[in-house]
Amino acid sequence: MTSEQQRVVVIGAGLAGLRLAARLGAGTGADTGRRVTVLGEERHAPYNRVLLAEVLAGRYAPGVTALPDPGPALRRGVRAVRVDRADRTVHCDDGSAERYDALVLATGSNAVLPPLRGLFEPRGRELPDGVHAFRTMDDCLALSAAVAVRSGVRAVVIGGGLLGVSAARALAERGAQVVLAQQGERLMERQLDADASALLHAHLTALGIEIHTRCRVRGLRTTRGPAGGRRVDGVEFADGYRLDAEVVVLACGVRPRTGLALAAGLDVRTGIVVDDRLRTSDPLVHAIGDCAEHAGRVYGLAGPALDQADALARQLGGATAPGYTGTRALTRLTLTTPAASTTTSGTATSGTATATSGTATLDLAVFGETTALPGDDVVSLADATRRTYRKVVVRGDRLVGGVLLGELSTVGALARSWQDAETLTDLSHLLTDDGGS
């Protein structure tokens, strides 16, 4: 390495970290004037977390989810344990150290483990057998093994958001008897309004998934095996209702991984605070992806993570470019039910979504502000026969958000109008099937 080379260390080998490494020339063999090192905590080859539901459903082999290999730039199975900002050094759990000129935190997020009775023993942090988060490839493979034992395994999914809905339909496709427990009033309440959520509820119920809303899981029932280990055998709701369970999935959301940043003395709120140049409170340290908080917002979606990686690559590459000003991202869910079957499959990511029941198609796309403010105009169209629902929120002459379910040829046109903040001239045209995609 010549003294002129810039040393860039990226902590995290997910979508954001590897996109940045690729944009900086890692794995190309080209002389870019910089040395990029990516520290990946997992021993698996890097994978697209968005596709884990497809792996759990059995539609994809794990290898299909692989991300582009950055070559020797990636150090697999190495965890960063401390950042010494004064010495500009990252210390790792294997005793090694990486010096940096620019450090990028792409540490992602962790699954939230709710405070349930029986989840942990006193002074213990081991989950009972049969209890799984749904965040990593290891989580996915363990869940797959648990439901592959036999058909009809009783599975309870705790959490009715995007992740919980994706996990529930994947388990149903694997032949499990699935119960989906949601504490809120409706499924995907952060993304969907009441009418859209009701359609999703009906669709999942038709797939054989038992759904409980407005219910709070209070604790887990466990039994001890001959070797002394604990295994889950049921869940208890706050109202005293009990459900038998052989498998419990904790899909209660995610939390940015900020431990390294906090220990290093960086500014952290919900996520690691960054400016428009994606710099933390230390200008030599940057943050992107699920762990980053920009302009008071943590996105937790694939689209913004990739946008941030691209923007930071331009900054680190010395290009004169505008800073990152945010991402107008859609929420995406893809569910597919084969014809003449009661199973379903799909993907959770950001964008538009498709769900199919038999030969009927149910598309779902959510973007922007779906709750109207005083003075906003709301336009909605519903067709119970075709199971379609379309609602958009208009502020002045701009489209500011929408919820769309059904076979929607207009999703692309609406999304472009929203993303580009276009002046609306003919909203009815955009909402009808001839609006274009």
Side-chain angles (χ1 to χ4, degrees):
M1 183 181 75
T2 66
S3 59
E4 290 78 17
Q5 280 188 304
Q6 180 191 39
R7 297 167 298 187
V8 180
V9 175
V10 182
I11 302 177
L15 274 173
L18 290 188
R19 174 68 160 246
L20 174 65
R23 290 290 188 261
L24 293 178
T28 65
D31 182 7
T32 62
R34 65 179 65 88
R35 175 179 177 265
V36 180
T37 301
V38 182
L39 304 177
E41 185 174 339
E42 295 186 61
R43 296 192 177 276
H44 294 287
Y47 57 90
N48 186 347
R49 201 181 307 278
V50 163
L51 299 177
L52 287 181
E54 295 289 352
V55 176
L56 178 57
R59 294 176 61 81
Y60 289 172
V64 174
T65 69
L67 293 171
D69 186 351
L74 173 63
R75 297 184 61 198
R76 260 201 253 173
V78 176
R79 182 167 62 92
V81 296
R82 184 169 65 89
V83 174
D84 185 337
R85 290 165 50 205
D87 196 38
R88 294 193 298 184
T89 302
V90 177
H91 296 271
C92 304
D93 61 351
D94 62 355
S96 64
E98 294 285 350
R99 298 291 303 276
Y100 67 84
D101 299 306
L103 174 63
V104 182
L105 302 176
T107 49
S109 54
N110 284 328
V112 171
L113 301 181
L116 302 178
R117 298 179 186 176
L119 185 61
F120 298 115
E121 292 188 293
R123 296 178 297 279
R125 296 300 296 173
E126 292 293 324
L127 295 174
D129 290 342
V131 179
H132 306 266
F134 186 42
R135 184 62 182 161
T136 68
M137 182 63 76
D138 283 337
D139 294 335
C140 182
L141 297 178
L143 265 173
S144 294
V147 298
V149 175
R150 59 178 172 78
S151 180
V153 168
R154 182 79 170 176
V156 177
V157 178
I158 302 175
L162 185 63
L163 188 63
V165 167
S166 299
R169 69 88 193 152
L171 291 169
E173 181 161 347
R174 293 294 297 274
Q177 299 180 50
V178 182
V179 176
L180 179 58
Q182 162 71 332
Q183 183 171 332
E185 294 185 0
R186 60 181 186 268
L187 298 177
M188 291 182 61
E189 59 185 354
R190 289 182 59 188
Q191 294 90 8
L192 304 183
D193 64 11
D195 292 328
S197 184
L199 283 175
L200 177 62
H201 190 292
H203 175 72
L204 294 177
T205 300
L207 303 178
I209 297 172
E210 181 182 332
I211 301 171
H212 296 261
T213 56
R214 303 185 195 181
C215 69
R216 183 172 64 85
V217 176
R218 178 173 60 189
L220 305 179
R221 298 199 320 259
T222 61
T223 58
R224 290 201 178 273
R230 296 186 305 146
R231 169 164 285 278
V232 69
D233 66 6
V235 300
E236 297 180 350
F237 294 101
D239 62 2
Y241 185 68
R242 297 184 176 186
L243 279 175
D244 293 335
E246 299 165 88
V247 171
V248 173
V249 181
L250 305 176
C252 304
V254 295
R255 181 177 293 117
R257 294 186 65 180
T258 59
L260 275 176
L262 277 170
L266 299 174
D267 187 9
V268 173
R269 295 173 194 160
T270 301
I272 305 167
V273 178
V274 296
D275 62 13
D276 287 354
R277 294 177 63 84
L278 298 164
R279 297 174 301 188
T280 68
S281 49
D282 180 338
L284 297 181
V285 182
H286 304 76
I288 57 175
D290 289 4
C291 68
E293 178 178 334
H294 175 264
R297 183 173 182 183
V298 177
Y299 288 94
L301 294 170
L306 297 176
D307 286 350
Q308 290 170 4
D310 291 347
L312 182 55
R314 291 191 294 269
Q315 303 289 345
L316 294 178
T320 301
Y324 175 74
T325 57
T327 298
R328 296 169 69 83
L330 289 79
T331 294
R332 179 176 185 169
L333 176 67
T334 302
L335 304 173
T336 305
T337 305
S341 172
T342 58
T343 59
T344 184
S345 68
T347 301
T349 181
S350 64
T352 58
T354 304
T356 307
S357 178
T359 57
T361 298
L362 180 68
D363 294 324
L364 185 154
V366 185
F367 56 91
E369 301 177 45
T370 58
T371 300
L373 299 177
D376 290 347
D377 293 318
V378 177
V379 181
S380 61
L381 300 173
D383 187 330
T385 302
R386 298 175 61 195
R387 294 202 309 167
T388 63
Y389 173 75
R390 310 173 190 184
K391 169 188 144 181
V392 294
V393 180
V394 179
R395 185 168 301 151
D397 58 1
R398 298 288 193 277
L399 182 64
V400 297
V403 179
L404 303 98
L405 271 80
E407 188 174 14
L408 304 176
S409 61
T410 64
V411 169
L414 284 167
R416 285 192 297 272
S417 178
W418 168 67
Q419 289 173 329
D420 297 340
E422 295 176 350
T423 300
L424 293 176
T425 56
D426 189 354
L427 182 59
S428 62
H429 178 64
L430 287 175
L431 279 174
T432 56
D433 286 344
D434 62 355
S437 61

